[in-house]
Amino acid sequence: MGSSPEGGCSCGAVRYRLASDPLFVHCCHCLNCQRQTGSAFVVNLLIETDRVEVVAGEPRPVEVPRDDGSMQRIFRCPDCHVAVYSEYTRPEFRFVRAGTLDDPSWVRPDVHIFTRSKVPWVTLPESVPAFDVYYDTNELWPAESLERARAALG
Ligand SMILES: [Zn+2]
Ligand SMILES: [Zn+2]
């Protein structure tokens, strides 16, 4: 990655900066993500909420129901409504949408999840772990990320 990568919405009202590397990068093939993005999958950078520095605008949280009955908060630009990041169960972490980075080219998925609903024309690389549903964080995340996550949770 570059140092302190930046990103934002389409109209430019919302801008953010990532204060460090992500903890982990998900490529999610679940049907919720397909529906939300109108695409085949989403690439999310998992990172501590306090490491997503909003430098312009105020992303507005929108409650969105998921297929499992839970709610997800998607933070959108109040003007152009582009989604920049999500919050799932824990407010200490953000799932930043990789495509909103000014330069998303350095982002590589660390894991593919919910491949049970992966579209058949997407071929996954052998070198990246893939799971039908989800995975065990303790087994996959680097020690440094686990340590950071523990610190974030207090
Ligand atoms: Zn905008
Ligand atoms: Zn998903």
Side-chain angles (χ1 to χ4, degrees):
M1 63 172 277
S3 57
S4 298
E6 295 188 18
C9 66
S10 292
C11 77
V14 165
R15 296 286 303 163
Y16 67 81
R17 181 186 301 133
L18 301 183
S20 75
D21 283 315
L23 295 158
F24 216 60
V25 178
H26 282 179
C27 184
C28 186
H29 302 262
C30 85
L31 294 175
N32 292 296
C33 288
Q34 293 187 33
R35 184 180 304 112
Q36 291 169 14
T37 60
S39 187
F41 52 78
V42 72
V43 179
N44 281 324
L45 289 77
L46 282 63
I47 188 167
E48 298 93 326
T49 295
D50 62 8
R51 296 192 189 203
V52 182
E53 302 168 355
V54 177
V55 292
E58 200 171 329
R60 182 178 299 162
V62 179
E63 300 269 333
V64 179
R66 298 173 59 77
D67 289 342
D68 65 1
S70 67
M71 292 298 260
Q72 172 186 355
R73 302 174 82 199
I74 301 180
F75 287 76
R76 296 180 174 277
C77 169
D79 296 331
C80 72
H81 295 194
V82 162
V84 286
Y85 48 78
S86 288
E87 176 189 302
Y88 291 84
T89 50
R90 295 193 179 279
E92 293 89 351
F93 302 103
R94 295 279 188 253
F95 287 58
V96 178
R97 297 192 175 200
T100 65
L101 289 164
D102 294 341
D103 174 16
S105 66
W106 57 270
V107 180
R108 300 281 184 280
D110 293 311
V111 66
H112 290 269
I113 55 175
F114 287 94
T115 59
R116 67 183 180 188
S117 48
K118 179 183 77 61
V119 295
W121 49 263
V122 167
T123 305
L124 301 182
E126 301 263 328
S127 56
V128 180
F131 296 87
D132 280 350
V133 181
Y134 209 74
Y135 66 96
D136 184 347
T137 302
N138 287 309
E139 283 180 13
L140 240 59
W141 283 25
E144 189 195 341
S145 293
L146 288 170
E147 187 57 40
R148 276 171 54 186
R150 273 193 293 270
L153 290 168

